[in-house]
């Protein structure tokens, strides 16, 4: 059984990405499962650290965005929205070229908090990072941004 409120599609997710940092990273959502989101991100000079490796902060950006989008897709956006309140990441290896694949899945979908795990792999299917994001559910419509 799908966890999503409504029927999200890839155009919707990629529209979200186009409005945040992940869009500037070139991230593209590639799959929506019953309980997961999958995306692909190119490894470019903009997202490498000084040694030429994929930056750990880039993994956190991907994880925060995917977990927040995942939470948002589980909510009735006219009644509530979410904000990230905690993120952690364990970096095990990196990438220097190619693409990074990311998959976000919920660990806990509560009334007030959601916890999402995002895993990132390099082109050799080697696990690069495991991250956990906690989001807080806030009653009311989305705040107006300027």
């Amino acid at each position: 059984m799908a966890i999503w409120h409504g029927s999200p599609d890839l155009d919707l997710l990629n529209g979200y990405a186009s409005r945040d940092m992940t869009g500037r990273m070139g991230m593209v959502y590639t799959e929506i499962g019953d309980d997961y989101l999958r995306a692909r991100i190119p490894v470019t000079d903009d997202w490498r650290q000084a040694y030429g490796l994929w930056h750990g902060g880039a993994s956190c950006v991907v994880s925060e965005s995917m977990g927040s989008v995942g939470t948002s897709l589980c909510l009735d956006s006219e009644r509530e929205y979410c904000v990230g309140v905690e993120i952690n990441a364990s970096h095990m290896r990196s990438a220097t070229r190619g693409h990074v694949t990311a998959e976000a899945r919920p660990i806990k979908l509560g009334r007030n908090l959601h916890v999402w795990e995002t895993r990132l792999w390099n082109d050799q299917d080697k696990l690069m990072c495991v991250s956990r994001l906690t989001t807080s559910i806030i009653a009311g419509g989305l705040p107006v941004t300027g």
Side-chain angles (χ1 to χ4, degrees):
M1 181 170 117
I3 61 174
W4 316 119
H5 181 83
S7 301
D9 61 32
L10 291 175
D11 289 337
L12 174 71
L13 270 64
N14 287 312
Y16 288 151
S18 72
R19 295 189 302 265
D20 72 16
M21 286 177 67
T22 57
R24 288 184 281 290
M25 293 176 78
M27 184 172 99
V28 175
Y29 284 94
T30 59
E31 189 175 344
I32 303 169
D34 285 346
D35 66 347
Y36 68 90
L37 303 173
R38 194 169 290 146
R40 187 170 154 101
I41 311 97
V43 179
T44 66
D45 288 341
D46 291 335
W47 309 109
R48 289 189 186 102
Q49 40 88 312
Y51 299 120
L53 304 172
W54 172 266
H55 198 291
S59 294
C60 290
V61 167
V62 169
S63 298
E64 173 111 16
S65 293
M66 290 183 75
S68 293
V69 166
T71 292
S72 294
L73 294 175
C74 294
L75 304 177
D76 177 350
S77 63
E78 292 185 18
R79 294 187 19 224
E80 51 197 356
Y81 65 99
C82 71
V83 294
V85 295
E86 189 269 341
I87 189 168
N88 70 48
S90 296
H91 307 288
M92 293 158 276
R93 62 178 44 85
S94 194
T96 57
R97 64 187 179 288
H99 289 83
V100 170
T101 300
E103 183 176 281
R105 290 180 180 268
I107 295 171
K108 171 73 173 164
L109 299 176
R111 189 174 349 128
N112 299 311
L113 291 175
H114 286 190
V115 179
W116 286 78
E117 179 182 86
T118 302
R119 292 177 175 245
L120 293 89
W121 296 269
N122 62 24
D123 277 342
Q124 292 73 44
D125 289 326
K126 301 285 186 180
L127 186 62
M128 296 171 45
C129 177
V130 176
S131 177
R132 189 184 71 231
L133 171 73
T134 302
T135 58
S136 178
I137 313 303
I138 299 173
L142 285 171
V144 176
T145 58

